[in-house]
Amino acid sequence: MALVLVQAFVWTLPAVSAVLARVLDPGFPGVPDGLGRGVLAAVSTGVAAGALAARRIAPGWAFGGALAAGLMALCTGGAAMVWPFVLVVALFSLAVHRTAGVAAAGAATTALTAAELTAVAGAPLRTATGAGLLAAGGTAVVWVLGRA
């Protein structure tokens, strides 16, 4: 519920929304401005909230839902901003409630997805590799914290 409230609060402040859109927009053509972008952002936020709700019962499904919410949010050009937090929480829950191998596979999937999305956005290979390595380091920290 707090996740949805934070997203709604950000949407009501145009200055905050504009700054976050610049930070979170990876450069995908995505959905054009207007109703479609708003609907996709709302669906992404709903999927993210559902992923958080299921994180203890079905952490694998929650991780998949968080990853799907992130992929949808990237197509909104920064209109949906809660997905990075949801992905970290889902990955942590995966590390806590599943085996080390399953959690490591989730961390690797996240890192590879970050690298691929950076490359698809038109970044040079060097930048995509850097994004993947940065994501790998971050997911490794989440994995270690969850396994501890």
Side-chain angles (χ1 to χ4, degrees):
M1 184 65 176
L3 172 79
V4 175
L5 291 175
V6 167
Q7 182 67 59
F9 180 71
V10 169
W11 284 337
T12 59
L13 299 172
V16 174
S17 294
V19 169
L20 288 172
R22 274 186 269 140
V23 171
L24 294 175
D25 187 5
F28 293 130
V31 178
D33 286 335
L35 182 63
R37 185 173 278 199
V39 168
L40 188 59
V43 169
S44 171
T45 302
V47 170
L52 282 184
R55 74 183 185 278
R56 290 191 180 130
I57 301 165
W61 284 100
F63 174 72
L67 202 55
L71 293 174
M72 283 189 284
L74 287 174
C75 294
T76 66
M81 53 73 76
V82 296
W83 66 269
F85 309 109
V86 173
L87 190 57
V88 168
V89 170
L91 190 57
F92 179 79
S93 294
L94 191 66
V96 169
H97 298 292
R98 293 292 179 253
T99 64
V102 171
T109 300
T110 303
L112 288 174
T113 302
E116 289 171 11
L117 290 175
T118 305
V120 167
L125 179 61
R126 183 172 127 178
T127 304
T129 303
L133 291 173
L134 183 63
T139 58
V141 168
V142 173
W143 183 82
V144 167
L145 290 173
R147 294 308 300 166

